[in-house]
Amino acid sequence: MAKFKSGKTPLVKIDEFCGKFNLPNLLVKDESKNPFGTWKDRRSEMIVKKAKHEFVDKLCLITSGNAGFSLAKFANKSHIKIVSIVDINLPLSIKQALKEIYTKIIEVNLSEKILTPEEMIALARENNKEVIWDATNGFHEAYETIIKEIKSESPDYLVCPVGSGEGFVGLFNGLEKVKLKTKLIGVTPESSPSFADKLHTPWTPYSAKIKSILETGHEIIKLSEDEIRSAFAYAKDLMNCEPSSAVVIGALSKLNFKENDKIVIINSGKGLV
């Protein structure tokens, strides 16, 4: 059985980005190079490893595609079953891709209903003996490994997409642990639903933590739909990304960086289909 490993993704300089934004010290942490093309592979590997150790039978999660696909791939050929809870309006192509990797799909109108972890587990349960975990949130420590991989660069700024905030919180904790003075900047859509669909979340348990992070001087900026579409149209030919990861490119012209600043932006990955 092939053993997939996440992390240790390349940190690359893309000359076109450096020239366009007049930022010669701009680097891209390319998470599309993870086994299944997304930074969520880091959390998937961690979750499955813990679930095997704790003899978990089933993992359920709310997903727009990438997280469910990644989790199912890491759980493949193990005893662990994956249940993906998706919005009824999720594109058919993504639902089909999830079904093809033997992931059970449960469709819910997520715009009308915010499911609690208990409700998700109840939807996934088939018998009373199953040990089931909700894997939607709560594994932010998986993203701390990114900080270890960029520590030697000691960037002035780190720019990442923000959806539920799990990655944002994990990156912040990682910066704190290695005592980097890097300013963390998150990027998210100003409207919902958005072309950057993977960044839409109706509810997040990280709200209070994010608020406390912002109070320490870190920042989250919002992009309009036009800015997101323009960023993706430009970035997609230069890095392997989807609209939700291209938002970091859209943020560069809105931030008052100096020419000599050292900046790392995170390409969180490519789309499922």
Side-chain angles (χ1 to χ4, degrees):
M1 180 176 68
K3 187 172 179 63
F4 300 107
K5 291 292 294 180
S6 66
K8 297 185 178 178
T9 54
L11 192 60
V12 298
K13 177 177 282 192
I14 298 177
D15 291 335
E16 289 87 347
F17 291 159
C18 295
K20 179 178 176 64
F21 300 104
N22 193 30
L23 296 170
N25 299 314
L26 175 67
L27 296 172
V28 179
K29 183 63 169 163
D30 190 2
E31 292 292 285
S32 74
K33 300 301 185 185
N34 277 304
F36 306 109
T38 171
W39 69 340
K40 292 183 183 294
D41 287 346
R42 294 177 184 262
R43 73 188 301 275
S44 295
E45 184 177 5
M46 171 184 285
I47 293 167
V48 170
K49 183 178 180 180
K50 287 185 175 182
K52 287 179 178 178
H53 182 71
E54 297 293 332
F55 302 102
V56 172
D57 300 302
K58 188 177 288 182
L59 296 166
C60 64
L61 77 165
I62 294 174
T63 179
S64 297
N66 287 354
F69 185 87
S70 172
L71 195 61
K73 281 293 192 178
F74 274 98
N76 186 33
K77 297 185 179 179
S78 74
H79 69 280
I80 300 170
K81 297 179 181 179
I82 307 298
V83 176
S84 290
I85 299 171
V86 304
D87 188 78
I88 56 173
N89 296 314
L90 191 70
L92 182 61
S93 58
I94 296 180
K95 294 176 187 175
Q96 187 59 37
L98 289 170
K99 289 176 181 177
E100 286 174 359
I101 54 171
Y102 307 107
T103 303
K104 182 178 179 180
I105 301 292
I106 297 176
E107 297 185 43
V108 177
N109 189 340
L110 295 174
S111 65
E112 294 182 354
K113 174 69 172 175
I114 297 175
L115 295 174
T116 66
E118 293 77 16
E119 288 172 323
M120 284 186 279
I121 290 171
L123 286 173
R125 184 172 299 283
E126 294 175 290
N127 65 70
N128 290 330
K129 295 182 179 180
E130 288 180 316
V131 178
I132 306 174
W133 282 1
D134 166 28
T136 306
N137 289 295
F139 298 90
H140 50 274
E141 64 266 30
Y143 298 95
E144 294 177 15
T145 55
I146 292 175
I147 302 302
K148 295 177 182 178
E149 293 168 22
I150 68 169
K151 180 183 177 182
S152 63
E153 295 293 332
S154 192
D156 299 300
Y157 297 93
L158 176 61
V159 187
C160 72
V162 175
S164 71
E166 184 180 54
F168 186 79
V169 169
L171 293 172
F172 170 78
N173 288 347
L175 290 171
E176 292 288 291
K177 286 182 179 179
V178 302
K179 296 180 170 54
L180 281 180
K181 300 300 183 182
T182 304
K183 180 173 179 177
L184 181 60
I185 300 175
V187 191
T188 197
E190 67 180 16
S191 60
S192 180
S194 171
F195 183 55
D197 57 324
K198 304 292 173 36
L199 302 183
H200 167 64
T201 180
W203 173 83
T204 174
Y206 292 104
S207 295
K209 179 61 177 178
I210 291 171
K211 182 180 179 181
S212 70
I213 292 172
L214 299 182
E215 289 172 351
T216 66
H218 300 282
E219 186 177 356
I220 289 180
I221 68 167
K222 296 183 177 182
L223 300 187
S224 70
E225 289 302 289
D226 286 344
E227 288 171 328
I228 293 170
R229 290 180 182 274
S230 177
F232 178 63
Y234 170 64
K236 66 182 176 64
D237 295 325
L238 298 171
M239 67 181 190
N240 196 0
C241 64
E242 60 182 334
S244 299
S245 46
V247 295
V248 293
I249 299 300
L252 292 176
S253 60
K254 293 173 69 76
L255 296 163
N256 296 318
F257 292 135
K258 298 182 179 67
E259 185 178 348
N260 62 345
D261 284 335
K262 296 183 70 174
I263 303 155
V264 173
I265 59 175
I266 295 179
N267 171 21
S268 57
K270 58 188 178 182
L272 174 58
V273 291

